[in-house]
Amino acid sequence: MTTDRRVVVTGLGATTPLGGTVPATWEALLAGKSGARTLTEEWVAKYELPVHFAARLAVPADEVLAKVEIRRMDPSAQYAVIAAREAWADAGAPELDPERLGVAIGTGIGGVWTLLDQWDTLREKGVRRVYPLAVPMLMPNSPSGNVSLALGARAGAHCTVSACASGAESMGTGYEMIRTGRADMVVAGGTEGAIHPICFAGFAQMQALSTRNDSPETASRPYDTTRDGFVMGEGAGVIVLEAEEHARARGAKIYAEFAGIGMSSDAHHITAPEPEGAGASRAMIEAVGSAGLTPGDIVHINAHATSTPVGDIAESNAIRRAFGSAADAMAVSATKSMTGHLLGAAGALEGVFTILAVHNRLAPATINITDFDPAIELDVIRGEHRQLPAGDIAALNNSFGFGGHNVAFTVKSV
Amino acid sequence: MAQSEQEILAGLADIVNEETGLDTDSVQLDKAFTEDLDIDSLSMMTIVVNAEDKFGVKIPDDEVKNLVTVGDAVKFIGANQS
């Protein structure tokens, strides 16, 4: 079996707070729209939650999937299946040996809705009313398993769990499956359906969420001096990775090359980023170096930038530590300013954006920056989205997760 | 109050449709749950519990293996409704 093969991206799929598909999401992103809205759910007032808004899906899953699919899958799996079907269709839904098609779909939180609904059912109605599919719905690998079922993928179906780096890590897992010869195509990404009162309450108690209740659309404001936390989002982002020779042989449309991945762990604190960015910068350096790139090749970064006071500065420091003055020439986008924070799907959705930025040579602007934080030493795109240069270009996607997980990957133009 | 066979069949067909997505017209008395309708044991458990609620009967776990066809289930429900 061939190893060390080049890997390209041949399909994209997403369901997000900005749109029910990749084209709808990308259009809203370039238009600088926010997906955050005031929540109308009764539980916000019932539990006196201090945060009243989130970025819910633009197109609810029950408008896309069959009733029985909604019933038998947790929201986390529903969103993954929606995005995977779009990505697979976008790749041309080619015929291939099912044993050469893999899946890698991560999630940060997993089937929290199913878990707690079924716990309520057990307590209130007894064991016979617990749904027999409770366990296969709540398990974190349920999205991965359901996508493998939906597409008939038999090369292996994996689930990476690394909090808000899960989606990016899955893409790395898919890349490795192809590079090492385990599969010719892998459907990879991340999903999250965790806008549940317990997640809200937990993040709020950590002081991690923005409390800008009177203005949800401007609450996610990475790099602004008045940023006060992230905005909960939901959705999924999925890409189709493919061995380059396989894609060329079938004449597939190629968006970009998935060029390299870097991963590290901080071992510093369970939630706080290591302030000097030592671990994060190692992941970035590895993502660039393993792709055969140099920092001078990177023209764009889709930053993790969640809009927390500490996290945005730590990442800025890590980028500087990794690339020094070469970072001056890297145009930075913080797309969570529009999508909110999709947790385990964040790195995957932002991976889709990074791929589109390289493919279309357009990097999205960051919205809601009215007073740019002078502590951020980055060229952050504000106002209008920015044209990226012609010729060979590359971009970097950063994702970090509670637990000290750092995942960075690079994408090259083809 | 006991329901007619047709009423029970229609109610059961709705339960099967909700759980599996199968068309209600495909749920006929002579159809076997496993062989003809491809309903697995997990779905069958849900159908049984929902049928208990809907028809006001108790279907013991031991009895479920005897409900091979839709007709078996309709007959059991009809005979055990109070």
Side-chain angles (χ1 to χ4, degrees):
Chain A
M1 184 53 63
T2 321
T3 59
D4 215 18
R5 304 187 297 176
R6 276 158 58 107
V7 178
V8 295
V9 179
T10 56
L12 303 174
T15 182
T16 78
L18 296 178
T21 62
V22 167
T25 299
W26 183 246
E27 190 186 333
L29 195 77
L30 291 184
K33 291 186 177 156
S34 166
R37 300 284 179 274
T38 299
L39 289 170
T40 53
E41 284 79 350
E42 46 82 27
W43 47 258
V44 176
K46 183 176 175 189
Y47 300 119
E48 298 175 358
L49 296 173
V51 177
H52 305 165
F53 60 97
R56 303 223 67 156
L57 285 188
V59 179
D62 61 8
E63 292 179 17
V64 183
L65 297 175
K67 206 169 81 179
V68 67
E69 292 178 308
I70 295 291
R71 185 170 162 79
R72 296 169 73 100
M73 288 192 284
D74 182 83
S76 56
Q78 294 166 15
Y79 306 166
V81 167
I82 291 170
R85 283 181 179 152
E86 183 192 2
W88 188 242
D90 187 42
E95 291 286 326
L96 84 160
D97 178 356
E99 294 180 9
R100 303 296 301 158
L101 172 62
V103 172
I105 305 280
T107 179
I109 292 181
V112 65
W113 274 103
T114 300
L115 174 64
L116 295 174
D117 278 352
Q118 293 300 310
W119 172 227
D120 287 344
T121 300
L122 176 62
R123 287 186 302 176
E124 291 161 14
K125 297 179 182 169
V127 64
R128 274 179 71 78
R129 297 300 182 273
V130 171
Y131 195 43
L133 291 175
V135 171
M137 285 170 68
L138 68 82
M139 61 193 193
N141 55 308
S142 189
S144 171
N146 275 293
V147 168
S148 80
L149 271 167
L151 302 180
R154 295 188 172 141
H158 304 279
C159 170
T160 59
V161 180
S162 46
C164 303
S166 302
E169 189 172 343
S170 277
M171 290 182 172
T173 298
Y175 163 75
E176 293 292 351
M177 285 176 81
I178 295 173
R179 208 173 63 82
T180 57
R182 281 187 55 209
D184 294 324
M185 296 181 78
V186 178
V187 176
T191 186
E192 204 73 84
I195 299 184
H196 183 285
I198 190 63
C199 302
F200 251 72
F203 282 126
Q205 284 296 92
M206 290 178 79
Q207 316 289 316
L209 297 178
S210 170
T211 55
R212 206 175 285 258
N213 288 322
D214 55 349
S215 181
E217 294 85 359
T218 66
S220 185
R221 44 200 311 122
Y223 306 133
D224 188 85
T225 51
T226 63
R227 67 188 183 274
D228 69 332
F230 74 81
V231 173
M232 281 271 277
E234 64 175 353
V238 170
I239 63 175
V240 176
L241 292 161
E242 186 165 0
E244 186 188 26
E245 77 267 14
H246 194 272
R248 300 263 183 224
R250 70 183 183 91
K253 163 189 66 187
I254 296 174
Y255 285 99
E257 178 181 352
F258 194 102
I261 182 124
M263 292 190 254
S264 68
S265 46
D266 282 346
H268 165 73
H269 185 275
I270 196 66
T271 58
E274 195 274 306
E276 299 301 313
S281 65
R282 272 196 295 125
M284 292 181 224
I285 290 166
E286 176 68 16
V288 172
S290 67
L293 296 165
T294 66
D297 296 317
I298 305 294
V299 299
H300 167 56
I301 300 175
N302 190 307
H304 187 61
T306 61
S307 183
T308 62
V310 177
D312 292 4
I313 289 178
E315 182 180 16
S316 172
N317 292 343
I319 291 169
R320 279 289 161 187
R321 185 184 177 118
F323 304 129
S325 61
D328 292 342
M330 301 175 186
V332 175
S333 300
T335 48
K336 288 186 182 78
S337 59
M338 293 165 277
T339 62
H341 189 355
L342 274 64
L343 309 178
L349 179 59
E350 288 148 23
V352 170
F353 295 156
T354 308
I355 290 157
L356 281 173
V358 167
H359 179 67
N360 296 326
R361 294 180 192 263
L362 273 183
T366 301
I367 66 167
N368 296 329
I369 302 175
T370 51
D371 183 24
F372 188 72
D373 185 344
I376 303 293
E377 295 182 76
L378 300 171
D379 175 17
V380 176
I381 308 166
R382 285 169 271 173
E384 275 292 293
H385 48 78
R386 192 182 297 176
Q387 192 77 37
L388 296 175
D392 292 339
I393 59 169
L396 177 76
N397 182 80
N398 279 343
S399 298
F400 312 118
F402 286 172
H405 309 278
N406 306 302
V407 180
F409 63 78
T410 47
V411 173
K412 266 200 264 191
S413 59
V414 290
Chain B
M1 202 180 83
Q3 293 171 289
S4 75
E5 190 175 84
Q6 276 313 309
E7 287 170 329
I8 295 169
L9 176 63
L12 198 57
D14 285 341
I15 291 171
V16 170
N17 167 263
E18 193 181 332
E19 177 57 23
T20 67
L22 280 171
D23 199 74
T24 50
D25 291 344
S26 64
V27 183
Q28 298 292 336
L29 292 174
D30 61 340
K31 296 283 188 253
F33 287 107
T34 308
E35 298 295 313
D36 299 322
L37 300 179
D38 199 26
I39 291 171
D40 64 21
S41 59
L42 297 180
S43 295
M44 194 62 193
M45 273 306 296
T46 305
I47 291 165
V48 163
V49 170
N50 290 345
E52 288 184 342
D53 286 348
K54 186 164 199 154
F55 300 113
V57 293
K58 180 92 188 106
I59 308 175
D61 288 349
D62 288 351
E63 190 60 40
V64 176
K65 64 178 184 301
N66 300 324
L67 307 180
V68 177
T69 66
V70 174
D72 295 338
V74 169
K75 202 180 298 173
F76 182 89
I77 291 165
N80 288 276
Q81 269 185 326
S82 51

